[in-house]
Amino acid sequence: MKTIQGVLWDNDGVLVDTEQLFYESNRDLLLPYGIDLTPKQFFDWFLDNNYGAWHVLLGQGHEIELVERLRAERTVLFAERLRQARRLAMPGIGQVLAALRPHVVMGVVTSAYEQHFRISHAATGLLQHFDFVLTREMYGESKPAPDGYELGLQRLGLAAADCVAVEDSPRGLRAANAAGLECIIVRNHMNREHAFDGAFCVVESMAELGEVLASFVPGMAPAHGQLEAFL
């Protein structure tokens, strides 16, 4: 049976429920230009292929200067919506992290920039469980490139075979796999229809995630009551 000493976590869609806010921020900025960004387009363009929606504006004949201005406006708009959100931590994730913390080392590898990451965790209480956080500014190429996860493994001081990653997007899965990591995918409303070929497993709930992670750590199997708290 596989055992682990470390876990590397994605952030948006795994630790915090922020992807809907990011989708809405992009959609609202594009609507005045006749682009009605759908959830499916958002998933395909942002979470799978990692090229965003700016290509649509450029295809309409707009200049790159408009893209740069809207990108800056999105940074501000998304930050405002994160600040206004009442609760961002994924339900049950705090219990999963607390159960793991005494047994493994853990870090966050996120494509979020530090500004948005810090705002999203201002009130979650989750950061106490991690040994480090790698935001987008801290490594080379973004996911699906393996750069962030390779740096995360260096910071953990562990081999990929002794760790797992937890993700929710196809590009995150590809990044983890490219770094040699087995990857657990957490289902959410954004990724419900995607197959996630190449994942170690796909879990439907925090309770199931807690069970899978506990199975990798000798002596850590959560009690029934603890699992109920994850729901």
Side-chain angles (χ1 to χ4, degrees):
M1 177 178 291
K2 181 180 178 67
T3 60
I4 61 169
Q5 301 174 51
V7 184
L8 292 172
W9 296 80
D10 179 42
N11 181 58
D12 298 283
V14 173
L15 301 179
V16 286
D17 189 9
T18 52
E19 285 180 344
Q20 181 69 25
L21 295 176
F22 189 60
Y23 159 63
E24 292 170 359
S25 298
N26 282 278
R27 182 200 61 196
D28 292 351
L29 285 172
L30 292 169
L31 272 174
Y33 300 91
I35 303 166
D36 189 359
L37 185 68
T38 67
K40 178 67 163 61
Q41 288 171 329
F42 176 78
F43 183 87
D44 291 344
W45 295 348
F46 288 78
L47 303 182
D48 191 352
N49 295 307
N50 192 35
Y51 56 72
W54 308 123
H55 65 287
V56 182
L57 281 173
L58 297 174
Q60 291 179 343
H62 293 288
E63 300 295 328
I64 192 66
E65 288 76 16
L66 174 64
V67 170
E68 292 169 351
R69 177 170 64 80
L70 290 177
R71 192 189 298 271
E73 290 180 11
R74 182 186 65 184
T75 297
V76 174
L77 179 61
F78 184 44
E80 289 175 351
R81 291 181 175 182
L82 289 174
R83 289 190 188 96
Q84 293 166 1
R86 298 182 61 183
R87 175 178 175 147
L88 287 174
M90 287 291 196
I93 188 62
Q95 292 95 324
V96 174
L97 295 172
L100 278 172
R101 186 61 178 139
H103 305 278
V104 297
V105 288
M106 296 194 290
V108 178
V109 178
T110 177
S111 298
Y113 286 92
E114 182 177 10
Q115 173 193 3
H116 294 141
F117 181 86
R118 295 299 171 189
I119 296 170
S120 69
H121 281 280
T124 66
L126 300 179
L127 298 187
Q128 62 180 315
H129 301 297
F130 299 105
D131 296 280
F132 60 86
V133 172
L134 300 179
T135 55
R136 180 64 192 87
E137 299 92 335
M138 299 175 69
Y139 54 90
E141 295 296 317
S142 186
K143 302 171 185 177
D147 300 30
Y149 278 117
E150 289 173 346
L151 181 56
L153 289 169
Q154 291 177 27
R155 292 286 295 269
L156 290 178
L158 295 170
D162 297 321
C163 306
V164 293
V166 183
E167 274 281 355
D168 75 312
S169 72
R171 69 188 186 102
L173 169 61
R174 294 198 298 275
N177 286 169
L181 285 158
E182 291 185 310
C183 185
I184 303 167
I185 294 292
V186 180
R187 284 283 187 211
N188 56 45
H189 74 281
M190 285 279 185
N191 67 19
R192 187 64 55 192
E193 305 303 320
H194 196 78
F196 288 105
D197 297 331
F200 175 82
C201 66
V202 178
V203 300
E204 300 291 333
S205 66
M206 285 299 166
E208 190 178 354
L209 176 62
E211 288 182 314
V212 171
L213 289 170
S215 74
F216 295 151
V217 181
M220 194 204 125
H224 179 69
Q226 288 177 294
L227 287 179
E228 286 180 345
F230 294 160
L231 296 175

